[in-house]
Amino acid sequence: MPPDQAATPPEPGGWRAARGEPSLADMFGSVRVAKGGSFWRKLVAFLGPGYLVAVGYMDPGNWATSLAGGSKFGYALLAVALISNIMAIVLQALCARLGVGSGRDLAQACRDAYPKWVSWPLWLLAEIAISATDLAEIIGTAIGLNLLFGIPLEIGVLITAADVFLILALQAIGFRWIEAFVVALLGVIAACFAVQIAMADPDWGQVIRGFAPTVDIVANRDMLYLALGILGATVMPHNLYLHSGLVQTRGYGDSVPEKKEAITLATIDSTVALCLALLINASILILAAATFHKAGKTDVAELDQAHTLLSPMLGSSIAPTLFGIALLCCGLNSTVTATLSGQIVMEGFINIKIAPWLRRLVTRMIAIVPAAIVTIWYGEKGTAQLLILSQVVLSLQLPFAIIPLVMFTASKAKMGTFVAPRWLSVIAAIIAAVVVALNVKLLIDFVTG
């Protein structure tokens, strides 16, 4: 037997079905990783997927909760943003482990582990979650177009359908270009908030103290509710499917040492990227605290409301423009990741391949119809309520993604050599229970008003 085959680990036997076609087959292993290169050279090759995942942690739903938290309670909820980010880092690390160790993304793992009467409903729930994610992106992009160019929301919603061509162009020239596009827009978002925060001149002593948890977060009912909102909106179901597929775009090799190194490098990538997501989310909260809360405006929660108030409070017309640019970039970035998530989910669960442009068009049309109807009939207030509804739908789907992830990566039979350490599985199980409980709490609150 040739040496390279001898080094290849056997397929773990805990799956009901054999491993099929790789995730994102047209991009599988397309990013070369130097076999004999240094650790840092390999790390550079692995940087990218984590930033696509980080996009999901700064969608318009997160913006709304951070604005509300900062305007009402100042810097106090920065601790919640930090804790929720730590939770996300652990769960995304498990996604990287599942993708590299089992050679399956989360959708494929569900297909190969469960009978069809279980996996097909999971697929439908995942599709609903992606449509809800797309709905939030449409609203965020439309509001961004409205704030920057005065385009009516109804027209902005329809314009978002054109992003199909953007995705096609990026996919045609290579996966690294998709990553470069996302990272560039993340840089623009970070720069926009850096300038706005410099204008707001926050109390940095209070900012640092805000990252330390206090009893008030639990004792104050209103503060607790917003804290639950920040935590509950953090982990997005589509990100779990997305990351477990994206790590497989790297050509890391088949041997046990190569895969273990790949898990380490992919975890570093997602951890660094999520720290950037924390920086941006914290920036939104800090901006709201330093402007609205400081001026006694404690009820700012909607994106267009924040945009309108920034100019008179910061004394500069550029501040609201930067806010609009950041929001538009966020919407465009989310478009890319939603497309890839949809592809991974459909191909993974039901093993069917359709053209990416058709997949994207169908998903976007499903989301555009309710968004267009609501904006035409109810205007800005309706879009804000629709944004909240999209977060509730995501909350409903989350347990059906997060629980299988924790169970698969903790299973020696399924993961073999790459099974998660016991301590990591215990921490992940606690995080999963907390996140699911918080989402259920938010759902109950939404239903009961």
Side-chain angles (χ1 to χ4, degrees), residues 207-295:
V207 170
I208 294 171
R209 288 190 291 273
F211 283 105
T214 64
V215 179
D216 290 342
I217 295 175
V218 179
N220 185 318
R221 184 177 177 181
D222 290 339
M223 191 180 290
L224 176 62
Y225 181 76
L226 273 176
L228 293 178
I230 292 172
L231 281 168
T234 296
V235 181
M236 295 294 171
H238 73 284
N239 265 348
L240 305 181
Y241 296 105
L242 179 67
H243 196 196
S244 57
L246 290 183
V247 292
Q248 297 179 57
T249 59
R250 269 50 187 171
Y252 42 74
D254 292 325
S255 69
V256 171
E258 286 173 327
K259 286 192 172 185
K260 285 188 174 179
E261 184 178 45
I263 291 172
T264 300
L265 294 170
T267 302
I268 293 173
D269 168 47
S270 62
T271 301
V272 172
L274 288 175
C275 286
L276 175 62
L278 170 63
L279 183 65
I280 291 174
N281 282 333
S283 296
I284 299 171
L285 198 148
I286 292 169
L287 180 64
T291 52
F292 310 136
H293 183 76
K294 185 178 179 181

Side-chain angles (χ1 to χ4, degrees), residues 9-84:
E11 170 79 9
W15 303 96
R16 294 183 70 257
R19 182 168 50 194
E21 193 174 68
S23 183
L24 297 173
D26 52 336
M27 293 179 274
F28 180 80
S30 60
V31 180
R32 304 293 299 173
V33 179
K35 297 284 184 183
S38 67
F39 174 84
W40 294 106
R41 187 178 175 187
K42 291 179 181 178
L43 179 60
V44 169
F46 266 85
L47 295 179
Y51 293 90
L52 271 70
V53 170
V55 167
Y57 291 91
M58 54 185 86
D59 70 345
N62 290 74
W63 283 46
T65 52
S66 294
L67 282 171
S71 66
K72 192 160 191 176
F73 298 110
Y75 306 99
L77 293 180
L78 283 171
V80 179
L82 175 62
I83 293 169
S84 62

Side-chain angles (χ1 to χ4, degrees), residues 187-212:
V188 172
I189 295 169
C192 287
F193 277 110
V195 174
Q196 290 176 88
I197 287 178
M199 291 178 179
D201 191 24
D203 184 331
W204 291 106
Q206 288 191 45
V207 170
I208 294 171
R209 288 190 291 273
F211 283 105

Side-chain angles (χ1 to χ4, degrees), residues 104-417:
R104 296 169 171 84
D105 58 55
L106 182 56
Q108 292 172 330
C110 290
R111 180 195 68 200
D112 294 346
Y114 301 132
K116 284 187 176 180
W117 62 269
V118 174
S119 64
W120 279 63
L122 288 178
W123 166 62
L124 290 174
L125 287 168
E127 293 286 4
I128 291 170
I130 289 172
S131 294
T133 303
D134 217 34
L135 188 61
E137 292 155 10
I138 288 172
I139 294 171
T141 304
I143 293 175
L145 290 170
N146 176 259
L147 298 181
L148 286 174
F149 308 111
I151 297 174
L153 288 176
E154 300 88 338
I155 306 300
V157 165
L158 298 177
I159 289 175
T160 59
D163 65 26
V164 174
F165 301 105
L166 170 66
I167 304 305
L168 285 175
L170 290 172
Q171 287 187 330
I173 59 178
F175 191 71
R176 269 303 210 187
W177 284 97
I178 294 177
E179 294 175 343
F181 175 79
V182 168
V183 171
L185 290 186
L186 285 177
V188 172
I189 295 169
C192 287
F193 277 110
V195 174
Q196 290 176 88
I197 287 178
M199 291 178 179
D201 191 24
D203 184 331
W204 291 106
Q206 288 191 45
V207 170
I208 294 171
R209 288 190 291 273
F211 283 105
T214 64
V215 179
D216 290 342
I217 295 175
V218 179
N220 185 318
R221 184 177 177 181
D222 290 339
M223 191 180 290
L224 176 62
Y225 181 76
L226 273 176
L228 293 178
I230 292 172
L231 281 168
T234 296
V235 181
M236 295 294 171
H238 73 284
N239 265 348
L240 305 181
Y241 296 105
L242 179 67
H243 196 196
S244 57
L246 290 183
V247 292
Q248 297 179 57
T249 59
R250 269 50 187 171
Y252 42 74
D254 292 325
S255 69
V256 171
E258 286 173 327
K259 286 192 172 185
K260 285 188 174 179
E261 184 178 45
I263 291 172
T264 300
L265 294 170
T267 302
I268 293 173
D269 168 47
S270 62
T271 301
V272 172
L274 288 175
C275 286
L276 175 62
L278 170 63
L279 183 65
I280 291 174
N281 282 333
S283 296
I284 299 171
L285 198 148
I286 292 169
L287 180 64
T291 52
F292 310 136
H293 183 76
K294 185 178 179 181
K297 298 278 187 183
T298 60
D299 58 347
V300 179
E302 295 184 14
L303 302 177
D304 56 337
Q305 184 184 10
H307 175 271
T308 304
L309 291 173
L310 279 175
S311 181
M313 289 190 173
L314 293 181
S316 171
S317 59
I318 195 176
T321 302
L322 292 173
F323 185 86
I325 290 172
L327 181 59
L328 184 58
C329 289
C330 179
L332 290 172
N333 256 351
S334 299
T335 287
V336 177
T337 57
T339 300
L340 293 171
S341 300
Q343 188 176 342
I344 289 170
V345 164
M346 179 168 281
E347 293 177 2
F349 270 111
I350 60 177
N351 201 22
I352 185 173
K353 295 178 73 69
I354 64 174
W357 67 269
L358 181 59
R359 160 78 214 189
R360 181 60 183 158
L361 197 59
V362 171
T363 304
R364 178 118 295 192
M365 287 304 106
I366 291 173
I368 276 181
V369 171
I373 291 172
V374 169
T375 50
I376 290 170
W377 284 98
Y378 298 102
E380 294 179 2
K381 187 172 180 61
T383 56
Q385 292 173 342
L386 200 59
L387 189 60
I388 295 171
L389 179 60
S390 72
Q391 301 304 302
V392 173
V393 172
L394 289 172
S395 300
L396 273 172
Q397 205 279 324
L398 184 61
F400 301 101
I402 198 172
I403 293 173
L405 172 67
V406 175
M407 291 177 63
F408 292 154
T409 52
S411 170
K412 178 77 172 177
K414 287 182 171 60
M415 297 296 294
T417 311

